[in-house]
Amino acid sequence: MAFKSTNRSHLRVVREVEAIGGNTSASASRECMTYTVDALKTYVPEMVELLIDCVRNPAFMDWEVNEEVQKIKAELEEVLKNPERLILEAVHSTGYSGPLANPLLASETAIDGLDSSILEEFVTENYKGNRIVVAASGIENEELLQIAEPLLSDLPVGPQPKEPKSVYVGGDFRRRSDSPSTHFALAFEVTGGWNNEKDSVTLTVMQMLMGGGSSFSAGGPGKGMHSRLYLRVLNEYQQMHSFSAFNSIFNNTGLFGIYGSTSSDFVSKAVDIAAEELILLATEGSVSRLMIKRAQEATKSAVLMNLESRMIVAEDIGRQILTYGERKSVHSFLKMVDEVELQDITNMAKKIISSPLTMASFGEVLQVPNYESVSRKFHAK
Amino acid sequence: MSSFLKSLLDPKKNPLAAMHMNSVSKRLRRYGLRYDDLYDPLYDLDVKEALNRLPREIVDARNQRLKRALDLSLKHEYLPEDLQKMQTPFRSYLQDMLALVKKERAEREALGALPLYERTIP
């Protein structure tokens, strides 16, 4: 519903965006909502005005809301066919209790109850002056200020919201379905989140270190598969379709885990392998300096390559201001990546696996080992 | 100019207009219909789009009134007197939405976009 009718009709909004040759997009995540417009530099006043209009004054017309709800229902059905997304959602909902557990893919009952009045309430309650950040890349701050200030200066300042705490609890999620392959994920909590920069940098490097992916490689057998999980797992066991490490970091907390999908008869062994990998990460001496160096270089290059896109730079500025209150330069981040030591990774891994396990599986769940038995493996060490 | 025409047609100013309004109101009340019920979605596709956008209760009420009127006219009867007194033939539910739909269609045409729906002779 992001760029639909405001006081201008939806057709007019679309035509205006087309007239300046721009792109609009909106995305929602657990901790922030982002509205993006990008176009040529000469059209900055039009872009900013359009963006602020669409953010501040959406007129949620009933018929448009109904249409969108239909589309979302159709999308939900599509997503059920993509088990990876489902499993990631499940890991978040089971692992956390509190606001972080609210799923990003809405449930059927939630969608049916959606109404234009609910959306309007949400907007008036949450889009207050002290919670919006306008970020731009490619123009000077003064120029942006000059254009955006008269449009936004009368936005009421709401009360500083108390961020409700979410607690990590861990848990088990299984969904049975008749599919030829079974997908599972094991995850643990990482305390600190973005607010603890050192830890979040270590976590990112760790994820690059473990890496992994699907067993199909586009360049030919074995090309590009250099990360630890690739070398140790995917190249050894043929029944694994995909095996990778994932992480998601929020403001105060984070998740790190391994996601795998295998053919259904191999599942219990696969879960054991995943558990072993995580435990091995926490033991001293199992990771070589070379691997860490590779992971550091990969992280740095990924960050720099992403920052070449102006859109991502603008989003990054906005997010950093929302989280930290200021924007840290790329160099400080790169320096922190370089400072990650072998000992940091081992310590972090030990801390991670001491938190309760979250397990999620989809497919032939009867073959997946018991939550208790898997959890015991981590605590025995 | 337009305000002069409006006062020509205004029932409060022009006694002829008042007589016309009374007679229309009497005829509508006899069958229990509102003026907006007479707009036919098959005749004008804008009416169809406006009815699609209205909330379900209003469209259901409209359809029930139409069914009741059809039934009465079949039996060559009028609505009972006490119900006739309760009718409100000029209470509008469609005019605003219809104006919005027409305005959107005009804007669409002005911007050069193709129309969303077009009249086809069946």
Side-chain angles (χ1 to χ4, degrees), chain B residues 73-92:
Chain B
S73 109
L74 169 80
K75 297 176 195 160
H76 294 278
E77 274 176 10
Y78 290 141
L79 206 56
E81 279 302 317
D82 48 347
L83 284 179
Q84 274 194 34
K85 286 202 181 41
M86 290 203 283
Q87 297 301 311
T88 58
F90 289 106
R91 195 174 289 175
S92 145

Side-chain angles (χ1 to χ4, degrees), chain A residues 190-209 247 249 256 292 295-296 299-300 303 324 328-341 344-345 348:
Chain A
V190 180
T191 46
W194 289 120
N195 282 333
N196 182 348
E197 288 149 32
K198 185 126 192 344
D199 276 353
S200 51
V201 168
T202 318
L203 192 66
T204 324
V205 172
M206 205 156 79
Q207 201 248 326
M208 277 291 185
L209 173 74
N247 69 343
I249 313 187
F256 177 79
I292 301 242
Q296 282 174 327
T299 319
K300 285 195 282 192
V303 165
Y324 300 127
K328 307 197 179 243
S329 72
V330 186
H331 292 289
S332 68
F333 184 77
L334 295 178
K335 211 157 64 88
M336 279 197 278
V337 170
D338 272 327
E339 287 167 1
V340 170
E341 291 282 325
D344 293 329
I345 300 235
M348 167 133 258

Side-chain angles (χ1 to χ4, degrees), chain A residues 1-2 4-5 10 58-73 110-120, chain B residues 53:
Chain A
M1 286 303 300
K4 297 256 158 61
S5 338
H10 177 41
F60 294 113
M61 304 286 197
D62 285 322
W63 53 96
E64 290 181 346
V65 171
N66 285 340
E67 257 184 56
E68 281 300 316
V69 162
Q70 300 296 333
K71 280 194 216 163
I72 291 186
K73 283 198 188 152
I111 292 191
D112 280 332
L114 261 192
D115 195 6
S116 65
S117 54
I118 299 185
L119 294 173
E120 271 168 26
Chain B
R53 293 184 183 189

Side-chain angles (χ1 to χ4, degrees), chain B residues 1-8 13:
Chain B
M1 183 63 190
S2 80
S3 69
F4 170 65
L5 283 176
K6 276 209 183 75
S7 65
L8 213 52
K13 302 243 178 70

